[in-house]
Amino acid sequence: MGTTVGSNAASTDTGATIEPGINNAMVDRLDDVELGWRFKAVPAAAHGQSAGGYVNSGVHLADLQTPLLTLDAAVMAANVDRMARWCAEKGVLLAPHGKTTMAPQLWRQQLENGAWGITLANASQLRVGHAFGLRRVMVANTLSDPQAVTWLAGAQGPDFSVVSWVDSLQSVALLDATLAAIPEAVPGSDAVLDVIVELGGNGGRTGARTVAEALAIARAVHASSHLRLVGVGGYEGSLAHTADAGALGTVRGYLSAVKELHEHLLAADLYAADADIILTAGGSAYFDDVVDVLAGSATNGTSPSGAAGQRVELIIRSGAYMVHDDGFYRGISPFGRGAEAEAGHAPFASAMHAWARVVSAPEPGLAILDAGKRDLPVDEGLPEPQLLGHALGGEMATLDGATISSVNDQHSFLRYDPETTTVAIGDVVRLGLSHPCTAFDKWTLIPVLASAADDRVVELIHTFF
């Protein structure tokens, strides 16, 4: 089960306690999915078999086909455990952003290792979570589509707790009007939605731009008969993209404003009196700064405003830590730099690799691979050539000095030194990738290998983008 993170049960407005979880039967049923042409990693020889049956037949890396994305089970387990232990040490909760993988099998692994719940980004992702029986979800966005709001009003209940965000007076008015217009005959027509007021920053993404604006929004929520204010939060990752002193100063200044907003809301008694209060921020790049700045505001007991028994929980929402990468997050993760690295926290390791085959060698020092933008993420850096071998699953050697110079829709350009490296048609290259969020969305089925030393396929991960 791994390390349990903190006290992660949440109270509803009826006094019931909702435990985190997912419908295990629904997740297990993915093993029954019939393999076929829809899954590009699976060879034709496997078509007609169930996913679970195929894995149990004794599949290895060599039995798959390129282009291919694989995951490493041992690395994912180690990354999840490392993050769970860190959160337990810091006394914070984790609601990993499920949009990174959109893979219920991986969500379950995170929940079994103590996650408070799963964060999602929009209504379509929320429906996926509901279909697989997620019990507790944070939607880190404003729900502005009336159909989505109406659906949620009827779907939430004792087994499905959702908290979403608001960042404007208009969004509060829209939610109010939509909920008020639901016919009495519709289940959930008297539902009250739990919301968090979001503070943003200049040049950032969503969120009120000033504490004063956010306070006005909070007052509007407090006055609403359809909404309940249960927290404050935001996202610091859109305000910086590096770990230099200037970027970290921007991040920490923003987080200080989030803290200030929370203190104003407590002082004004704007939080719902029967709610556990949520204080949330933290992507995968600056979660250490989030905890450093905001942890003092999380009480895990009586709130500073004196409301007996009202908890203030700090929840981070890092999503990339489980899979990590060989690019952007490798360079910026707190466990790879700064105080956390100095404190002895081992860095996360990349659990994802791409495998591509040489289909053409038209010039000396140039090989064209059979994987492109349809298969590989490129938004946070080009793939990194790592290993070269004559066959998938065969012996591979380190590919020193090679680069991917560009990526087309279906091809990548491998540049290498022909004086020191020989590349032939049919050779296979293992690639390191940057940014798991834009790797997973290109694959409906992802084989999981046991470890770097054991290339048995131990699971097939299904994604739902």
Side-chain angles (χ1 to χ4, degrees), residues 334-353:
F335 287 3
R337 50 89 184 163
E340 297 306 325
E342 294 172 5
H345 289 286
F348 296 125
S350 179
M352 67 174 179
H353 295 97

Side-chain angles (χ1 to χ4, degrees), residues 350-392:
S350 179
M352 67 174 179
H353 295 97
W355 308 80
R357 201 176 301 271
V358 178
V359 296
S360 178
E363 303 168 12
L366 172 64
I368 307 300
L369 309 181
D370 65 352
K373 293 176 184 177
R374 306 296 190 201
D375 317 294
L376 312 173
V378 297
D379 59 310
E380 291 287 0
L382 294 173
E384 174 185 273
Q386 296 177 334
L387 301 174
L388 174 69
H390 295 308
L392 188 64

Side-chain angles (χ1 to χ4, degrees), residues 9-12 15-19 135-136 158:
S11 298
T12 67
T17 298
I18 295 178
E19 297 290 340
R135 295 176 61 81
R136 190 190 300 157

Side-chain angles (χ1 to χ4, degrees), residues 81 88 102 130 139 149 166 200 206 213-214 271 305 325 360 419 461:
D81 185 68
M102 287 306 295
H130 181 261
V139 179
V149 174
V166 291
T206 53
E213 290 176 11
Y271 289 122
S305 64
D325 71 6
S360 178
E419 298 296 325
I461 296 297

Side-chain angles (χ1 to χ4, degrees), residues 20-25 27 103-105 107-108 111 118 129 132-135:
I22 196 167
N23 188 323
N24 286 317
V27 178
Q105 291 150 292
W107 296 346
R108 175 165 66 181
L111 290 164
I118 298 295
F132 280 93
L134 283 180
R135 295 176 61 81

Side-chain angles (χ1 to χ4, degrees), residues 9-91:
S11 298
T12 67
D13 55 345
T14 61
T17 298
I18 295 178
E19 297 290 340
I22 196 167
N23 188 323
N24 286 317
M26 284 292 299
V27 178
D28 290 341
R29 210 167 294 160
L30 292 172
D31 281 342
D32 299 329
V33 172
E34 182 178 315
L35 302 179
W37 55 266
R38 294 183 298 123
F39 306 115
K40 60 184 177 181
V42 177
H47 292 182
Q49 298 184 51
S50 69
Y54 182 56
V55 169
N56 291 334
S57 70
V59 183
H60 289 74
L61 178 61
D63 298 311
L64 304 172
Q65 65 184 31
T66 60
L68 177 64
L69 178 71
T70 63
L71 300 172
D72 184 310
V75 170
M76 287 194 296
N79 287 346
V80 168
D81 185 68
R82 187 167 294 127
M83 187 61 146
R85 291 182 184 278
W86 185 85
C87 288
E89 174 188 318
K90 299 295 183 180

